Amino acid sequence: VDRDGFVIEVIGDAIVLESHRGIQYVNGVKWTEDLVGTTAISLVLRGSGPMQVAGYEHYCRKHQDWACSAAPITDSAGALLGVLSVTGRKENVHCHTLGMVVSAAAAVSNYLAVQKAQKELEQTAKLHSTIINSVSDGLLMIDGKGVVTFLNPTGAKILNVNAAEAVGKHISTL
């Protein structure tokens, strides 16, 4: 479910999916407390943290045959991006389901944070590369063993070498 309560994707076994159609739990429907009553998803959307709601804890009678475990998916600042939920028949509810959903939602949140950080690093690297390659001074970097790790175009011109070919070679060969 996205941060506004719209169901993005419903995945499951065919019999359960068909049952969910009967309670209108399908892609695109808005699943907020004002529209469907108290559910684990609606409570998470309201900021209640991870929740498990089963049977008669649901406000709507049509939902009382179900058990739902839900947890927030957040960005790196803790803002709600959406909700991950696992739903099944109330007689099959297990206390460990909520822990599984919390772990899965945390994994999604962490994955999104890593993707964002990687994109920011790539943008920073492009900026640094642009700056380094446009300075008027020659820049040559070598590691502790004397191997060239970087040579900007100006440095390559000064040394009269190809920058791409110089990287990886020992400084004494230049």
Side-chain angles (χ1 to χ4, degrees):
V1 175
D2 72 9
R3 78 176 98 221
D4 298 317
F6 288 98
V7 176
I8 297 170
E9 187 71 36
V10 180
I11 302 168
D13 116 348
I15 294 170
V16 173
L17 290 176
E18 190 57 40
S19 298
H20 277 71
R21 282 187 185 83
I23 60 171
Q24 304 304 310
Y25 189 72
V26 293
N27 294 351
V29 74
K30 193 167 186 180
W31 204 259
T32 55
E33 191 165 29
D34 59 325
L35 297 173
V36 297
T38 301
T39 66
I41 292 170
S42 67
L43 291 172
V44 173
L45 286 169
R46 288 183 44 181
S48 300
M51 284 287 161
Q52 187 170 55
V53 176
Y56 295 106
E57 294 173 341
H58 289 99
Y59 172 79
C60 182
R61 284 184 194 218
K62 285 189 173 188
H63 303 160
Q64 292 178 357
D65 290 335
W66 299 97
C68 180
S69 300
I73 296 172
T74 58
D75 67 13
S76 56
L80 182 69
L81 296 174
V83 178
L84 181 65
S85 169
V86 172
T87 302
R89 304 294 296 180
K90 71 178 178 186
E91 54 272 5
N92 297 330
V93 69
H94 195 283
C95 61
H96 295 301
T97 304
L98 181 59
M100 176 187 72
V101 173
V102 168
S103 294
V108 171
S109 297
N110 289 338
Y111 175 79
L112 294 172
V114 167
Q115 294 292 55
K116 180 181 178 191
Q118 184 176 353
K119 189 173 187 176
E120 290 171 357
L121 281 172
E122 288 171 0
Q123 290 172 340
T124 300
K126 284 180 184 177
L127 176 63
H128 288 168
S129 177
T130 300
I131 292 169
I132 288 172
N133 286 321
S134 65
V135 297
S136 59
D137 293 327
L139 296 176
L140 171 71
M141 289 194 256
I142 57 172
D143 66 14
K145 295 179 182 177
V147 176
V148 176
T149 58
F150 176 80
L151 180 62
N152 76 346
T154 306
K157 188 175 180 181
I158 292 168
L159 296 173
N160 197 28
V161 296
N162 180 303
E165 292 175 5
V167 172
K169 292 184 178 176
H170 195 272
I171 186 67
S172 64
T173 63
L174 301 181

